[in-house]
Amino acid sequence: MTLIAVTRAVSPTIVECELTNLAREPIDVANAVAEHAVYEETLRSCGLTIVHAPAEPALPDAVFVEDAALVFAETAVMTRPGAPVRRREVESMAKVLSAYRPLFAIQPPGTLDGGDVMAVGRKIYVGLSSRTNHEGIAQLDTHLSEWGYEVIPVPVTGCLHLKSAVTQVADNLLLLNDRWVSPECFGSMGMVTVAPGEPDAANALLIEASVIYPTHHPATAERLDRAGVRVVPVPCGELAKAEGGVTCCSVVFETAGRP
Ligand code: CIR
């Protein structure tokens, strides 16, 4: 079994990225490219094989591949991003993923961003956000119910995506900002909350027993460490100015064949 991470180069136009909750700050493209290289190297060091989606230099947010696609064991779901300008990112991702899974596509008027989808086993939590609507969630539910997945809508406020507010950091453990999402949505799972002064710190990327995590949230990293989570730090402060985190720069899945 091979673990694949699909990634895509940082676009030179990232300076014109979509922004929802952040004020625009100058983005140093060379720094963003360097951070992305470290991110890919970190994924490799965790045993993943990187597959590059074609660069889309004219699409500012194309590096944030997570939003264009969801990959499950049985199917890949091509999303319909809530920001119209980001819908052009989907086609080239579909070409890549068609080599690995049968494809299903969210149709208008549905909208769905991958950043709103958190899978915990067969439970698929989906954020109702400014990017993902009821219709998109309903289409995902109908499609995934075929394989016994349970799709659970979750209201989010104050942040871009569900995974800005909560991510899984171990088998039965979530990292969460309880101002943006209610812990009650997630039943009896254990919770680590973000440290005061680090509201954006809930986005972590769990790869087997390790968590790839931004260097710029040290107090929350310490909380994770105390909870027994193995934290692998990556610099991503430049990409964070584009409202991106560590989950959004890859789509990770298993394949039985060769990458
Ligand atoms: C956007 O607003 O769409 C991008 N600037 C950031 C997307 C980040 N995606 C993610 O966290 N899944």
Side-chain angles (χ1 to χ4, degrees):
M1 203 59 90
T2 307
L3 253 189
I4 287 190
V6 177
T7 63
R8 169 146 55 201
V10 175
S11 300
T13 50
I14 190 168
V15 294
E16 295 154 33
C17 66
E18 291 292 294
L19 288 175
T20 305
N21 294 291
L22 292 185
R24 197 167 294 280
E25 279 186 70
I27 295 176
D28 182 320
V29 177
N31 274 351
V33 169
E35 285 180 358
H36 193 251
V38 174
Y39 176 80
E40 289 187 332
E41 209 36 59
T42 305
L43 291 174
R44 285 192 191 96
S45 74
C46 291
L48 279 76
T49 300
I50 304 286
V51 170
H52 285 121
E56 293 275 18
L59 303 182
D61 285 305
V63 64
F64 302 127
V65 286
E66 168 180 70
D67 293 320
L70 313 168
V71 181
F72 300 91
E74 305 85 352
T75 179
V77 175
M78 304 317 299
T79 68
R80 185 167 179 270
V85 66
R86 298 204 57 196
R87 292 179 193 153
R88 288 156 61 208
E89 297 170 27
V90 175
E91 192 181 329
S92 52
M93 283 295 284
K95 282 198 185 117
V96 174
L97 294 175
S98 62
Y100 301 99
R101 299 287 193 275
L103 302 186
F104 170 82
I106 300 293
Q107 301 297 329
T111 63
L112 183 75
D113 275 20
D116 274 318
V117 180
M118 179 176 75
V120 181
R122 309 293 289 180
K123 287 190 196 295
I124 312 298
Y125 297 97
V126 188
L128 261 170
S129 69
S130 62
R131 299 287 178 89
T132 294
N133 65 14
H134 285 285
E135 173 62 27
I137 297 177
Q139 289 179 27
L140 184 70
D141 185 18
T142 303
H143 180 60
L144 291 183
S145 63
E146 192 179 329
W147 295 285
Y149 291 97
E150 184 189 0
V151 169
I152 304 163
V154 177
V156 283
T157 46
C159 60
L160 180 57
H161 287 130
L162 176 67
K163 280 190 283 191
S164 322
V166 58
T167 52
Q168 187 179 11
V169 289
D171 268 357
N172 192 34
L173 191 64
L174 299 177
L175 172 63
L176 166 140
N177 177 335
D178 58 8
R179 294 179 157 221
W180 292 346
V181 72
S182 168
E184 286 162 18
C185 298
F186 308 102
S188 59
M189 286 190 75
M191 312 258 168
V192 174
T193 51
V194 297
E198 295 184 351
D200 297 321
N203 187 262
L205 177 60
L206 177 63
I207 303 285
E208 297 183 325
S210 301
V211 160
I212 295 178
Y213 193 70
T215 48
H216 58 273
H217 300 310
T220 305
E222 201 174 311
R223 288 183 174 205
L224 288 172
D225 189 55
R226 267 190 266 124
V229 173
R230 178 173 178 262
V231 176
V232 182
V234 289
C236 56
E238 211 61 45
L239 290 163
K241 294 179 192 168
E243 238 172 312
V246 285
T247 62
C248 60
C249 294
S250 58
V251 175
V252 175
F253 57 89
E254 285 186 350
T255 184
R258 288 152 59 92

